Amino acid sequence: MIIKTAEFVVSNSDVNKCPETTLPEYAFIGRSNVGKSSLINAITNRKSLAKTSGRPGKTQLINHFLINKEWYLVDLPGYGYAKVSKGTKKKFQSFITKYFEKRIQLINAFVLVDVRHEPQKIDMDFMSWLGEKQLPFSIVFTKADKLKPKPLNENINNYLSIMRETWAELPNYFVTSSSSGQGTDELLNYIQDTNDEIERLKKEQNPFQP
């Protein structure tokens, strides 16, 4: 997939104010400071589409970006170690939960995890919640350029091994780096293939649709 256009559409904290559209949505979410904004900018080939900051917790709203006028990239607030008040964290949790429970346009959630670290309980708990809700998601390992190939593969295999203890089937996963661009093409091709499949199914259900 080639990103031709990437347009900011709306930011809000109310899922009912998200765009009224049938276009597919792909949400990006992860622990604070996981490199989410940098990866979004790398994927879209835009330097400042998503706001990056050295201060965790910069993203505090549901942000919709229209990509190629065909699908939405949704940038969600990070969870975990954001330096915000308990009240703000509770607010984040509330509207993030509502987004996942109510947004029928959501096709897949990309859960970002820092590949340099051991599996974190907060990530595991969040993915378990998605599984319980039967919400499709993929794991996106970030900051792959920070490790040499051997420890990188060891960390990924360790993560997947731990997940196999409780998951009957593992989700798709991508290994990425916003600095080198590693994995961005694979991620975009996955979105393109998914969108193509959605269109194919629509035509099967309504063969007279133009």
Side-chain angles (χ1 to χ4, degrees):
M1 178 192 296
I2 298 174
I3 302 298
K4 298 177 180 178
T5 60
E7 311 163 44
F8 169 75
V9 177
V10 67
S11 292
N12 68 82
S13 60
D14 184 352
V15 68
N16 295 318
K17 295 180 180 178
C18 290
E20 295 182 6
T21 174
T22 58
L23 293 178
E25 294 185 359
Y26 296 85
F28 286 70
I29 189 170
R31 193 158 43 90
S32 297
N33 210 28
V34 74
K36 176 169 55 69
S37 296
S38 295
L39 183 62
I40 288 173
N41 290 337
I43 289 169
T44 58
N45 198 27
R46 304 295 193 277
K47 292 183 178 180
S48 58
L49 188 71
K51 303 297 183 183
T52 59
S53 172
R55 177 173 61 85
K58 183 69 174 178
T59 304
Q60 299 186 7
L61 297 168
I62 304 170
N63 300 300
H64 275 75
F65 301 95
L66 180 60
I67 309 298
N68 290 348
K69 300 189 184 299
E70 296 175 347
W71 57 278
Y72 282 100
L73 186 158
V74 184
D75 181 10
L76 293 172
Y79 52 77
Y81 304 114
K83 294 181 180 179
V84 295
S85 67
K86 289 183 178 180
T88 302
K89 285 184 181 180
K90 192 171 183 179
K91 180 182 177 183
F92 286 179
Q93 184 177 2
S94 175
F95 70 71
I96 290 172
T97 299
K98 289 179 181 177
Y99 172 83
F100 280 111
E101 290 180 339
K102 294 184 177 182
R103 195 64 177 166
I104 61 174
Q105 292 88 342
L106 176 67
I107 301 301
N108 190 77
F110 292 108
V111 181
L112 279 59
V113 296
D114 190 331
V115 74
R116 299 175 299 174
H117 304 310
E118 292 289 321
Q120 304 291 307
K121 184 178 184 299
I122 191 169
D123 294 324
M124 293 298 196
D125 288 347
F126 180 67
M127 287 187 283
S128 293
W129 181 81
L130 290 175
E132 291 168 3
K133 296 291 184 179
Q134 297 185 327
L135 295 168
F137 71 92
S138 303
I139 301 173
V140 178
F141 293 105
T142 64
K143 305 186 181 182
D145 60 297
K146 304 297 183 182
L147 295 176
K148 292 184 178 180
K150 184 177 179 180
L152 173 65
N153 291 328
E154 287 176 348
N155 283 10
I156 292 171
N157 289 333
N158 180 47
Y159 206 103
L160 299 178
S161 178
I162 291 175
M163 288 196 72
R164 287 190 184 96
E165 295 175 4
T166 53
W167 288 81
E169 184 176 349
L170 295 181
N172 293 324
Y173 70 91
F174 303 88
V175 182
T176 69
S177 165
S178 58
S179 298
S180 69
Q182 177 182 349
T184 54
D185 285 343
E186 289 82 357
L187 202 156
L188 286 173
N189 287 339
Y190 173 78
I191 293 174
Q192 183 66 69
D193 290 344
T194 304
N195 287 344
D196 289 345
E197 180 65 12
I198 291 171
E199 287 302 312
R200 186 186 68 80
L201 293 173
K202 284 182 179 179
K203 289 180 179 179
E204 281 188 359
Q205 295 170 359
N206 184 5
F208 300 105
Q209 179 179 325

